[in-house]
Each structure stands twice: as structure tokens, then as C-alpha cells.
Amino acid sequence: MASRTLGSRQVQREDDTTIHYTVSGPGDGQVLILIHGWACDRRDYDEITTHLPADLRVLAVDLAEHGESRSARESYSMAEFGRDVVAVMEAEDVSDAIVVGHSLGGAVAVEVARLAPGRVARVAALDALHYTFLFGALDDEQADVFLNLLRDDFSGLVRSMVEAGSPDGTDEALKDEYFAKMVAVRQPAGSAAYEGLVRWNMEEALAEVTSPVTVYAVRAMLTPESVTHLEGRVEAVVPIDLGSHHFGVENPVGTARLLAGIAGR
């Protein structure tokens, strides 16, 4: 497999927002857009990208106030994150992309397809959307449970999120690494982004998306109830066995094979 050169670029948006992203691969290649999860960044995709077929053009985006991207805006809704990605697509003149999102990035990927349907061929949600207790439309009482934890015990909330995404047998040192990275998310945007996910209406968004959406869920984290909830809303829910919720970091080669398969390689 040919080696890749990862080039860094940026695009400006309103509200002093600068979105940084990585680009690699041929200018005329099929486009994969990679979106990270909450409190993560595009570097999580660096090693994965090096194992992707050389003929794919790959864009990995740092959402606002994640990684190198910076913003003075107040809104950190999933739709506003989606506009970050659409700005990159416009800057790179992308007209036909597979949009891949991990965790919160899966919600953002759905919003990208909602905002720019003519530019998105397919959405792949990596261990996202099937956590319907968080991604699904929550009533005020359900939302308040998460938001009270967010305000009152942020580190405890982050630890519970790491544990919720870790199947039995996950290395404790790995879980500690994920916790340390996520608890250090830039504030106040980190909390605002989490609230944006809690308040996101997944069912409404999926109903408006015309691009096919496939969920690739860690098998140990997938419940029959979640599959039933997503039936008719997504094209398919596909169980995978590549590691924990953060499988891309744990198994970049296997994740690259998964993404190559999504792209038909």
C-alpha cells in the first residue's frame, strides 16, 4: 500500500471560527470525510488513514473547539458542528462523499447529510446512534438527568461514559487514557457540545435525511431494543468486533479495513 502524506489545512467561518482539517490522497479520488467523537480530535484517525487504499481522498476534520479548531461562537449544536464539516466540503469542492462519524461524530454526520444532501452519498455511524438513551429524542426529565450530571459532577459523567463504552475485559489502562483525554475537553464548549448532543432529536434528523445511513455498532454494546428502535430509520445496523467504543484507536488496521469496505474497496 502506498504511503500517505497528511496535509493540514483550515477554513474560516463566522464567529471567529477556524476549522482545521487533514487532507490526503488524490484530488480525484473517492472522498471519505472522517468526524471524531466528543472530546476527541482528528488525530484519532491519523493511523487509520495511513492504512486506507491510496486511491481514496480522505478529509479528517477537527470540529470547533476540538483539536486545533477554535471558535468564539455560542452554539455547539449538532447542526452547527455539521456546518463546520460542510464548510470543509465547500472549501475542498467535495460534491460526493461518504461521511463517517464516530460517537458524537455520528450525529454530526447525519446533520451533514441533512444540510448538504447533494454532497453526501452515504453516512457511516461508528458506534453511534444505537445508544438511544443518549442519542434518541429525550423528554425534559430524561435530558435533565444528563445535564445535572454535566453541571454537578463532570468528571464522574466522563468516567461513566468511558465505562458505558467499555465491554467486559477492556484494559483498565486504556480506559484511564480515554478518561484523561475526554475530561480535558476545552471548556465551556465541551459542556455545550455534550448538551447539544443531549438535546439533539435523532429521530427527526434521520427522517429528513435522504442518504443511506448505516450504523456500525460494537457488538457487546448493541441491544435488541436499540436495533428495533433504529429499524426503518437507518439502512442497517451492523455489529462489529474491533474493540471498545474507541476501537479506532485500539485497532486502526481493522478500522481501516472497515472503512475501505464501506467505500467498496
Side-chain angles (χ1 to χ4, degrees), residues 204-220:
E204 177 183 275
L206 288 172
E208 295 183 9
V209 168
T210 57
S211 308
V213 177
T214 302
V215 174
Y216 296 88
V218 172
R219 189 184 304 274

Side-chain angles (χ1 to χ4, degrees), residues 1-262:
M1 182 179 294
S3 62
R4 281 180 173 270
T5 299
L6 306 181
S8 295
R9 298 181 184 177
Q10 63 185 58
V11 63
Q12 298 296 131
R13 297 194 59 220
E14 63 275 8
D15 297 320
D16 294 322
T17 299
T18 304
I19 301 301
H20 290 255
Y21 60 99
T22 299
V23 58
S24 66
D28 60 352
Q30 182 179 6
V31 179
L32 279 182
I33 296 178
L34 307 179
I35 308 170
H36 61 78
W38 179 77
C40 299
D41 58 71
R42 75 179 195 258
R43 291 172 298 178
D44 291 339
Y45 286 111
D46 282 356
E47 188 173 355
I48 296 167
T49 300
T50 64
H51 295 287
L52 287 170
D55 62 338
L56 291 176
R57 184 165 180 79
V58 182
L59 308 177
V61 182
D62 274 341
L63 301 174
E65 286 295 274
H66 289 72
E68 294 182 298
S69 293
R70 296 292 177 265
S71 179
R73 74 190 188 212
E74 295 183 1
S75 174
Y76 289 91
S77 67
M78 299 306 99
E80 198 60 36
F81 279 138
R83 293 184 185 98
D84 292 340
V85 179
V86 171
V88 171
M89 297 172 79
E90 291 173 345
E92 294 294 325
D93 196 25
V94 174
S95 59
D96 186 27
I98 297 171
V99 183
V100 178
H102 170 247
S103 195
L104 172 145
V108 177
V110 170
E111 286 295 334
V112 173
R114 193 185 197 183
L115 291 163
R119 296 178 184 266
V120 178
R122 173 173 292 277
V123 171
L126 304 184
D127 212 44
L129 308 187
H130 65 97
Y131 295 99
T132 50
F133 62 86
L134 176 59
F135 285 84
L138 306 181
D139 61 31
D140 289 343
E141 183 177 350
Q142 292 169 322
D144 283 345
V145 171
F146 287 104
L147 299 181
N148 287 337
L149 281 172
L150 181 68
R151 290 186 291 264
D152 300 338
D153 186 10
F154 180 74
S155 63
L157 172 65
V158 175
R159 177 61 73 177
S160 68
M161 290 172 65
V162 172
E163 292 295 335
S166 301
D168 291 343
T170 301
D171 190 304
E172 292 297 325
L174 275 178
K175 291 195 287 186
D176 289 343
E177 284 182 27
Y178 302 147
F179 170 78
K181 180 174 184 175
M182 295 167 68
V183 81
V185 65
R186 284 177 64 84
Q187 296 290 8
S191 293
Y194 186 85
E195 182 172 356
L197 179 58
V198 169
R199 298 196 182 281
W200 184 57
N201 190 321
M202 176 182 72
E203 291 80 0
E204 177 183 275
L206 288 172
E208 295 183 9
V209 168
T210 57
S211 308
V213 177
T214 302
V215 174
Y216 296 88
V218 172
R219 189 184 304 274
M221 302 290 99
L222 188 60
T223 67
E225 293 78 15
S226 295
V227 174
T228 299
H229 187 80
L230 290 172
E231 282 179 358
R233 292 189 167 101
V234 302
E235 184 177 65
V237 178
V238 180
I240 56 173
D241 298 294
L242 295 173
S244 79
H245 179 66
H246 297 272
F247 63 85
V249 175
E250 299 162 17
N251 191 343
V253 173
T255 304
R257 290 196 187 107
L258 173 65
L259 297 184
I262 294 169

